[in-house]
Amino acid sequence: MLASARFNAGFAGSDFKRWQLQARAVLAELVGFDPDRRPAFTTVRLWQRSHCLGHIEKWLLRAEPGIDVPIYWCRPARPHESNPTMICLQGHTTGMHCSIGASQADPFIDEAPPNDRDYALQCLAHGFNALCVEQRGFGERRENCDLKTDCQHMAMRALLLGRTLVGERVADAQLALRWALQQPTVNAHRVGIMGNSAGGTTAMYAAALMDNFWLAVPSCSFGRLRDTWFAGRRCVCGYVPRLLNTLDLPDVLALHAPNPVIVVGGEQDYHAPGKALRPAFADLQTRYAASGAAEACRLVIGPEGHRFYASLAWPLMLQQLDPA
């Protein structure tokens, strides 16, 4: 019998650590992610460029036949082993080039993206390393011409293999993390993950399924399932079969406890507006309190819609470097 068939309740006030271990195993099964599968991988550096904020390189990570994971590795002007590192994930945009504020056609031409999507440049400006991952179905990893249908084909194909696109994207994040931990200027105790929309969804599940991440910053991706994914039409890439009967998203994100999490949202967000985000965050706070880390759970709600809010989120992110 599948573990998830025997586990049909979120956290209800019992032994938190015991529940967390059980729930993580169940979630891994639901998304089709094996945290112990760590295939050997090879790397190819494609190019490097200087930036006014530091240094940017493009690499390919190869762990599966025929599948390359493109990344940008961004280091501040003064790299040091004490610098934190953030894995940066775009959502339904034209790709990870947005994170470095570059043109899609030519990564050597600067082009500022809208809605604070230049996550890597924000990291460099604050002295962080940034590792940008091109998610499956976006940017260079689109297989079809129509951006709106590519996720559907990939998600359905993953289901045929007993996986989910969420799980496949988490596996790519894990691969990127493994690569990052090999870099001499990366502090293994200060690697976080952030993203907006579908990037925030991957960040949330990756933080839940792996205990390596020091900080998680999911944006415009969190809320109770009935108020978000179940309430209206969403991209198929974020659905996990049987999740609604097993765990809710406050349970999922609570698997990251006691590590810090900063939930970002927009008051007018179509996916998770403020009125839906606040009660879900209250659920998350209850779970974090049960873990003994009530203060490690923070919320930011900007006044607009489906976007990242850098000016509101970064002060809280920087506080995590020195919580005292």
Side-chain angles (χ1 to χ4, degrees), residues 213-239:
F213 291 114
W214 147 68
L215 172 66
V217 188
S219 174
C220 293
S221 52
F222 178 71
R224 292 171 176 167
L225 286 168
R226 291 192 181 277
D227 296 332
T228 55
W229 293 97
F230 204 73
R233 186 175 180 180
R234 306 286 185 262
C235 182
V236 69
C237 70
Y239 287 87

PDB file of all heavy atoms in Angstrom, residues 213-239:
ATOM      1  N   PHE A 213      18.192  23.669   2.653  1.00  0.00           N
ATOM      2  CA  PHE A 213      18.017  25.100   2.390  1.00  0.00           C
ATOM      3  C   PHE A 213      17.883  25.889   3.680  1.00  0.00           C
ATOM      4  O   PHE A 213      17.006  25.625   4.508  1.00  0.00           O
ATOM      5  CB  PHE A 213      16.808  25.330   1.487  1.00  0.00           C
ATOM      6  CG  PHE A 213      17.019  24.841   0.082  1.00  0.00           C
ATOM      7  CD1 PHE A 213      16.279  23.783  -0.414  1.00  0.00           C
ATOM      8  CD2 PHE A 213      17.973  25.420  -0.726  1.00  0.00           C
ATOM      9  CE1 PHE A 213      16.471  23.316  -1.698  1.00  0.00           C
ATOM     10  CE2 PHE A 213      18.188  24.966  -2.020  1.00  0.00           C
ATOM     11  CZ  PHE A 213      17.434  23.902  -2.509  1.00  0.00           C
ATOM     12  N   TRP A 214      18.734  26.877   3.821  1.00  0.00           N
ATOM     13  CA  TRP A 214      18.747  27.751   4.989  1.00  0.00           C
ATOM     14  C   TRP A 214      17.539  28.678   5.005  1.00  0.00           C
ATOM     15  O   TRP A 214      16.963  28.955   6.061  1.00  0.00           O
ATOM     16  CB  TRP A 214      20.054  28.546   4.966  1.00  0.00           C
ATOM     17  CG  TRP A 214      20.016  29.927   5.509  1.00  0.00           C
ATOM     18  CD1 TRP A 214      19.837  30.291   6.820  1.00  0.00           C
ATOM     19  CD2 TRP A 214      20.182  31.151   4.779  1.00  0.00           C
ATOM     20  NE1 TRP A 214      19.883  31.663   6.942  1.00  0.00           N
ATOM     21  CE2 TRP A 214      20.083  32.213   5.706  1.00  0.00           C
ATOM     22  CE3 TRP A 214      20.404  31.458   3.433  1.00  0.00           C
ATOM     23  CZ2 TRP A 214      20.208  33.548   5.322  1.00  0.00           C
ATOM     24  CZ3 TRP A 214      20.527  32.784   3.057  1.00  0.00           C
ATOM     25  CH2 TRP A 214      20.417  33.804   4.008  1.00  0.00           C
ATOM     26  N   LEU A 215      17.098  29.137   3.833  1.00  0.00           N
ATOM     27  CA  LEU A 215      16.026  30.119   3.737  1.00  0.00           C
ATOM     28  C   LEU A 215      15.196  29.818   2.504  1.00  0.00           C
ATOM     29  O   LEU A 215      15.733  29.477   1.445  1.00  0.00           O
ATOM     30  CB  LEU A 215      16.618  31.529   3.625  1.00  0.00           C
ATOM     31  CG  LEU A 215      15.666  32.690   3.338  1.00  0.00           C
ATOM     32  CD1 LEU A 215      14.710  32.914   4.500  1.00  0.00           C
ATOM     33  CD2 LEU A 215      16.461  33.971   3.057  1.00  0.00           C
ATOM     34  N   ALA A 216      13.881  29.941   2.626  1.00  0.00           N
ATOM     35  CA  ALA A 216      12.974  29.786   1.486  1.00  0.00           C
ATOM     36  C   ALA A 216      12.158  31.064   1.330  1.00  0.00           C
ATOM     37  O   ALA A 216      11.635  31.598   2.319  1.00  0.00           O
ATOM     38  CB  ALA A 216      12.048  28.590   1.681  1.00  0.00           C
ATOM     39  N   VAL A 217      12.057  31.556   0.086  1.00  0.00           N
ATOM     40  CA  VAL A 217      11.290  32.776  -0.194  1.00  0.00           C
ATOM     41  C   VAL A 217      10.360  32.496  -1.372  1.00  0.00           C
ATOM     42  O   VAL A 217      10.633  32.880  -2.514  1.00  0.00           O
ATOM     43  CB  VAL A 217      12.212  33.968  -0.497  1.00  0.00           C
ATOM     44  CG1 VAL A 217      11.387  35.263  -0.582  1.00  0.00           C
ATOM     45  CG2 VAL A 217      13.303  34.112   0.552  1.00  0.00           C
ATOM     46  N   PRO A 218       9.239  31.798  -1.124  1.00  0.00           N
ATOM     47  CA  PRO A 218       8.269  31.564  -2.195  1.00  0.00           C
ATOM     48  C   PRO A 218       7.349  32.775  -2.365  1.00  0.00           C
ATOM     49  O   PRO A 218       6.796  33.292  -1.403  1.00  0.00           O
ATOM     50  CB  PRO A 218       7.491  30.349  -1.692  1.00  0.00           C
ATOM     51  CG  PRO A 218       7.555  30.452  -0.189  1.00  0.00           C
ATOM     52  CD  PRO A 218       8.869  31.116   0.127  1.00  0.00           C
ATOM     53  N   SER A 219       7.185  33.209  -3.597  1.00  0.00           N
ATOM     54  CA  SER A 219       6.376  34.396  -3.882  1.00  0.00           C
ATOM     55  C   SER A 219       5.212  34.031  -4.794  1.00  0.00           C
ATOM     56  O   SER A 219       5.375  33.300  -5.776  1.00  0.00           O
ATOM     57  CB  SER A 219       7.255  35.466  -4.551  1.00  0.00           C
ATOM     58  OG  SER A 219       6.485  36.572  -4.978  1.00  0.00           O
ATOM     59  N   CYS A 220       4.030  34.527  -4.452  1.00  0.00           N
ATOM     60  CA  CYS A 220       2.817  34.354  -5.267  1.00  0.00           C
ATOM     61  C   CYS A 220       2.577  32.897  -5.633  1.00  0.00           C
ATOM     62  O   CYS A 220       2.300  32.564  -6.792  1.00  0.00           O
ATOM     63  CB  CYS A 220       2.902  35.231  -6.516  1.00  0.00           C
ATOM     64  SG  CYS A 220       2.840  36.992  -6.155  1.00  0.00           S
ATOM     65  N   SER A 221       2.672  32.027  -4.647  1.00  0.00           N
ATOM     66  CA  SER A 221       2.499  30.590  -4.894  1.00  0.00           C
ATOM     67  C   SER A 221       1.901  29.869  -3.698  1.00  0.00           C
ATOM     68  O   SER A 221       1.656  28.663  -3.775  1.00  0.00           O
ATOM     69  CB  SER A 221       3.857  29.953  -5.215  1.00  0.00           C
ATOM     70  OG  SER A 221       4.817  30.279  -4.221  1.00  0.00           O
ATOM     71  N   PHE A 222       1.630  30.583  -2.614  1.00  0.00           N
ATOM     72  CA  PHE A 222       1.226  29.949  -1.361  1.00  0.00           C
ATOM     73  C   PHE A 222      -0.218  30.296  -1.006  1.00  0.00           C
ATOM     74  O   PHE A 222      -0.680  31.413  -1.247  1.00  0.00           O
ATOM     75  CB  PHE A 222       2.159  30.406  -0.232  1.00  0.00           C
ATOM     76  CG  PHE A 222       1.805  29.836   1.112  1.00  0.00           C
ATOM     77  CD1 PHE A 222       2.009  28.500   1.390  1.00  0.00           C
ATOM     78  CD2 PHE A 222       1.261  30.647   2.099  1.00  0.00           C
ATOM     79  CE1 PHE A 222       1.678  27.969   2.638  1.00  0.00           C
ATOM     80  CE2 PHE A 222       0.941  30.133   3.351  1.00  0.00           C
ATOM     81  CZ  PHE A 222       1.148  28.792   3.616  1.00  0.00           C
ATOM     82  N   GLY A 223      -0.905  29.351  -0.409  1.00  0.00           N
ATOM     83  CA  GLY A 223      -2.269  29.545   0.058  1.00  0.00           C
ATOM     84  C   GLY A 223      -2.901  28.190   0.307  1.00  0.00           C
ATOM     85  O   GLY A 223      -2.353  27.157  -0.078  1.00  0.00           O
ATOM     86  N   ARG A 224      -4.033  28.167   0.950  1.00  0.00           N
ATOM     87  CA  ARG A 224      -4.753  26.902   1.080  1.00  0.00           C
ATOM     88  C   ARG A 224      -5.160  26.420  -0.306  1.00  0.00           C
ATOM     89  O   ARG A 224      -5.559  27.205  -1.161  1.00  0.00           O
ATOM     90  CB  ARG A 224      -5.995  27.104   1.953  1.00  0.00           C
ATOM     91  CG  ARG A 224      -5.691  27.412   3.418  1.00  0.00           C
ATOM     92  CD  ARG A 224      -6.957  27.818   4.140  1.00  0.00           C
ATOM     93  NE  ARG A 224      -6.745  28.042   5.571  1.00  0.00           N
ATOM     94  CZ  ARG A 224      -7.617  28.643   6.364  1.00  0.00           C
ATOM     95  NH1 ARG A 224      -8.768  29.084   5.872  1.00  0.00           N
ATOM     96  NH2 ARG A 224      -7.351  28.803   7.649  1.00  0.00           N
ATOM     97  N   LEU A 225      -5.090  25.119  -0.512  1.00  0.00           N
ATOM     98  CA  LEU A 225      -5.369  24.573  -1.838  1.00  0.00           C
ATOM     99  C   LEU A 225      -6.770  24.937  -2.332  1.00  0.00           C
ATOM    100  O   LEU A 225      -6.965  25.262  -3.505  1.00  0.00           O
ATOM    101  CB  LEU A 225      -5.200  23.055  -1.822  1.00  0.00           C
ATOM    102  CG  LEU A 225      -3.749  22.544  -1.769  1.00  0.00           C
ATOM    103  CD1 LEU A 225      -3.731  21.048  -1.473  1.00  0.00           C
ATOM    104  CD2 LEU A 225      -3.028  22.840  -3.073  1.00  0.00           C
ATOM    105  N   ARG A 226      -7.761  24.891  -1.448  1.00  0.00           N
ATOM    106  CA  ARG A 226      -9.138  25.177  -1.876  1.00  0.00           C
ATOM    107  C   ARG A 226      -9.304  26.637  -2.288  1.00  0.00           C
ATOM    108  O   ARG A 226     -10.225  26.964  -3.049  1.00  0.00           O
ATOM    109  CB  ARG A 226     -10.115  24.824  -0.759  1.00  0.00           C
ATOM    110  CG  ARG A 226     -10.220  23.320  -0.523  1.00  0.00           C
ATOM    111  CD  ARG A 226     -11.390  22.959   0.385  1.00  0.00           C
ATOM    112  NE  ARG A 226     -11.460  21.527   0.611  1.00  0.00           N
ATOM    113  CZ  ARG A 226     -12.034  20.663  -0.218  1.00  0.00           C
ATOM    114  NH1 ARG A 226     -12.610  21.117  -1.330  1.00  0.00           N
ATOM    115  NH2 ARG A 226     -12.060  19.375   0.058  1.00  0.00           N
ATOM    116  N   ASP A 227      -8.438  27.511  -1.790  1.00  0.00           N
ATOM    117  CA  ASP A 227      -8.529  28.933  -2.131  1.00  0.00           C
ATOM    118  C   ASP A 227      -7.649  29.310  -3.308  1.00  0.00           C
ATOM    119  O   ASP A 227      -7.724  30.449  -3.789  1.00  0.00           O
ATOM    120  CB  ASP A 227      -8.132  29.788  -0.922  1.00  0.00           C
ATOM    121  CG  ASP A 227      -9.072  29.612   0.254  1.00  0.00           C
ATOM    122  OD1 ASP A 227     -10.256  29.296   0.017  1.00  0.00           O
ATOM    123  OD2 ASP A 227      -8.615  29.767   1.412  1.00  0.00           O
ATOM    124  N   THR A 228      -6.807  28.392  -3.754  1.00  0.00           N
ATOM    125  CA  THR A 228      -5.854  28.710  -4.824  1.00  0.00           C
ATOM    126  C   THR A 228      -5.990  27.725  -5.975  1.00  0.00           C
ATOM    127  O   THR A 228      -6.742  27.948  -6.906  1.00  0.00           O
ATOM    128  CB  THR A 228      -4.410  28.718  -4.268  1.00  0.00           C
ATOM    129  OG1 THR A 228      -4.133  27.461  -3.624  1.00  0.00           O
ATOM    130  CG2 THR A 228      -4.241  29.846  -3.253  1.00  0.00           C
ATOM    131  N   TRP A 229      -5.313  26.599  -5.904  1.00  0.00           N
ATOM    132  CA  TRP A 229      -5.290  25.640  -7.007  1.00  0.00           C
ATOM    133  C   TRP A 229      -6.669  25.046  -7.305  1.00  0.00           C
ATOM    134  O   TRP A 229      -6.984  24.736  -8.455  1.00  0.00           O
ATOM    135  CB  TRP A 229      -4.292  24.513  -6.701  1.00  0.00           C
ATOM    136  CG  TRP A 229      -2.885  24.999  -6.676  1.00  0.00           C
ATOM    137  CD1 TRP A 229      -2.152  25.354  -5.584  1.00  0.00           C
ATOM    138  CD2 TRP A 229      -2.041  25.231  -7.809  1.00  0.00           C
ATOM    139  NE1 TRP A 229      -0.900  25.789  -5.955  1.00  0.00           N
ATOM    140  CE2 TRP A 229      -0.808  25.717  -7.316  1.00  0.00           C
ATOM    141  CE3 TRP A 229      -2.204  25.061  -9.182  1.00  0.00           C
ATOM    142  CZ2 TRP A 229       0.258  26.041  -8.155  1.00  0.00           C
ATOM    143  CZ3 TRP A 229      -1.140  25.385 -10.021  1.00  0.00           C
ATOM    144  CH2 TRP A 229       0.063  25.864  -9.506  1.00  0.00           C
ATOM    145  N   PHE A 230      -7.498  24.884  -6.283  1.00  0.00           N
ATOM    146  CA  PHE A 230      -8.821  24.287  -6.471  1.00  0.00           C
ATOM    147  C   PHE A 230      -9.877  25.333  -6.837  1.00  0.00           C
ATOM    148  O   PHE A 230     -10.968  24.988  -7.297  1.00  0.00           O
ATOM    149  CB  PHE A 230      -9.250  23.561  -5.191  1.00  0.00           C
ATOM    150  CG  PHE A 230     -10.255  22.473  -5.400  1.00  0.00           C
ATOM    151  CD1 PHE A 230      -9.898  21.275  -5.988  1.00  0.00           C
ATOM    152  CD2 PHE A 230     -11.572  22.642  -5.007  1.00  0.00           C
ATOM    153  CE1 PHE A 230     -10.825  20.263  -6.179  1.00  0.00           C
ATOM    154  CE2 PHE A 230     -12.514  21.634  -5.189  1.00  0.00           C
ATOM    155  CZ  PHE A 230     -12.141  20.447  -5.780  1.00  0.00           C
ATOM    156  N   ALA A 231      -9.547  26.601  -6.654  1.00  0.00           N
ATOM    157  CA  ALA A 231     -10.552  27.656  -6.797  1.00  0.00           C
ATOM    158  C   ALA A 231     -10.746  28.129  -8.224  1.00  0.00           C
ATOM    159  O   ALA A 231     -11.778  28.705  -8.558  1.00  0.00           O
ATOM    160  CB  ALA A 231     -10.168  28.846  -5.915  1.00  0.00           C
ATOM    161  N   GLY A 232      -9.786  27.927  -9.070  1.00  0.00           N
ATOM    162  CA  GLY A 232      -9.892  28.418 -10.432  1.00  0.00           C
ATOM    163  C   GLY A 232      -8.856  27.755 -11.311  1.00  0.00           C
ATOM    164  O   GLY A 232      -8.028  26.964 -10.862  1.00  0.00           O
ATOM    165  N   ARG A 233      -8.888  28.082 -12.584  1.00  0.00           N
ATOM    166  CA  ARG A 233      -7.993  27.459 -13.543  1.00  0.00           C
ATOM    167  C   ARG A 233      -6.562  27.943 -13.327  1.00  0.00           C
ATOM    168  O   ARG A 233      -6.298  29.134 -13.263  1.00  0.00           O
ATOM    169  CB  ARG A 233      -8.454  27.778 -14.966  1.00  0.00           C
ATOM    170  CG  ARG A 233      -7.668  27.046 -16.031  1.00  0.00           C
ATOM    171  CD  ARG A 233      -8.248  27.318 -17.410  1.00  0.00           C
ATOM    172  NE  ARG A 233      -7.493  26.621 -18.446  1.00  0.00           N
ATOM    173  CZ  ARG A 233      -7.786  26.676 -19.739  1.00  0.00           C
ATOM    174  NH1 ARG A 233      -8.838  27.400 -20.139  1.00  0.00           N
ATOM    175  NH2 ARG A 233      -7.069  26.022 -20.620  1.00  0.00           N
ATOM    176  N   ARG A 234      -5.663  26.997 -13.214  1.00  0.00           N
ATOM    177  CA  ARG A 234      -4.239  27.307 -13.053  1.00  0.00           C
ATOM    178  C   ARG A 234      -3.452  26.448 -14.037  1.00  0.00           C
ATOM    179  O   ARG A 234      -3.972  25.486 -14.607  1.00  0.00           O
ATOM    180  CB  ARG A 234      -3.762  26.995 -11.634  1.00  0.00           C
ATOM    181  CG  ARG A 234      -4.574  27.669 -10.524  1.00  0.00           C
ATOM    182  CD  ARG A 234      -4.272  29.155 -10.442  1.00  0.00           C
ATOM    183  NE  ARG A 234      -4.956  29.783  -9.312  1.00  0.00           N
ATOM    184  CZ  ARG A 234      -6.084  30.453  -9.379  1.00  0.00           C
ATOM    185  NH1 ARG A 234      -6.707  30.575 -10.542  1.00  0.00           N
ATOM    186  NH2 ARG A 234      -6.634  31.005  -8.316  1.00  0.00           N
ATOM    187  N   CYS A 235      -2.183  26.757 -14.209  1.00  0.00           N
ATOM    188  CA  CYS A 235      -1.353  25.957 -15.110  1.00  0.00           C
ATOM    189  C   CYS A 235      -1.195  24.555 -14.539  1.00  0.00           C
ATOM    190  O   CYS A 235      -0.952  24.369 -13.335  1.00  0.00           O
ATOM    191  CB  CYS A 235       0.014  26.603 -15.303  1.00  0.00           C
ATOM    192  SG  CYS A 235       1.059  25.671 -16.462  1.00  0.00           S
ATOM    193  N   VAL A 236      -1.290  23.575 -15.397  1.00  0.00           N
ATOM    194  CA  VAL A 236      -1.222  22.181 -14.982  1.00  0.00           C
ATOM    195  C   VAL A 236       0.124  21.827 -14.360  1.00  0.00           C
ATOM    196  O   VAL A 236       0.234  20.844 -13.626  1.00  0.00           O
ATOM    197  CB  VAL A 236      -1.530  21.265 -16.193  1.00  0.00           C
ATOM    198  CG1 VAL A 236      -0.403  21.322 -17.220  1.00  0.00           C
ATOM    199  CG2 VAL A 236      -1.790  19.844 -15.746  1.00  0.00           C
ATOM    200  N   CYS A 237       1.153  22.630 -14.603  1.00  0.00           N
ATOM    201  CA  CYS A 237       2.496  22.293 -14.125  1.00  0.00           C
ATOM    202  C   CYS A 237       2.603  22.263 -12.605  1.00  0.00           C
ATOM    203  O   CYS A 237       3.521  21.647 -12.064  1.00  0.00           O
ATOM    204  CB  CYS A 237       3.536  23.248 -14.700  1.00  0.00           C
ATOM    205  SG  CYS A 237       3.464  24.939 -14.065  1.00  0.00           S
ATOM    206  N   GLY A 238       1.667  22.899 -11.885  1.00  0.00           N
ATOM    207  CA  GLY A 238       1.771  22.961 -10.435  1.00  0.00           C
ATOM    208  C   GLY A 238       0.884  21.994  -9.683  1.00  0.00           C
ATOM    209  O   GLY A 238       0.893  21.984  -8.454  1.00  0.00           O
ATOM    210  N   TYR A 239       0.124  21.167 -10.403  1.00  0.00           N
ATOM    211  CA  TYR A 239      -0.792  20.247  -9.732  1.00  0.00           C
ATOM    212  C   TYR A 239      -0.081  18.965  -9.307  1.00  0.00           C
ATOM    213  O   TYR A 239       0.761  18.438 -10.034  1.00  0.00           O
ATOM    214  CB  TYR A 239      -1.970  19.901 -10.646  1.00  0.00           C
ATOM    215  CG  TYR A 239      -2.961  21.025 -10.801  1.00  0.00           C
ATOM    216  CD1 TYR A 239      -2.790  22.008 -11.769  1.00  0.00           C
ATOM    217  CD2 TYR A 239      -4.068  21.114  -9.965  1.00  0.00           C
ATOM    218  CE1 TYR A 239      -3.701  23.047 -11.914  1.00  0.00           C
ATOM    219  CE2 TYR A 239      -4.984  22.141 -10.102  1.00  0.00           C
ATOM    220  CZ  TYR A 239      -4.793  23.106 -11.073  1.00  0.00           C
ATOM    221  OH  TYR A 239      -5.685  24.143 -11.207  1.00  0.00           O
TER     222      TYR A 239
END
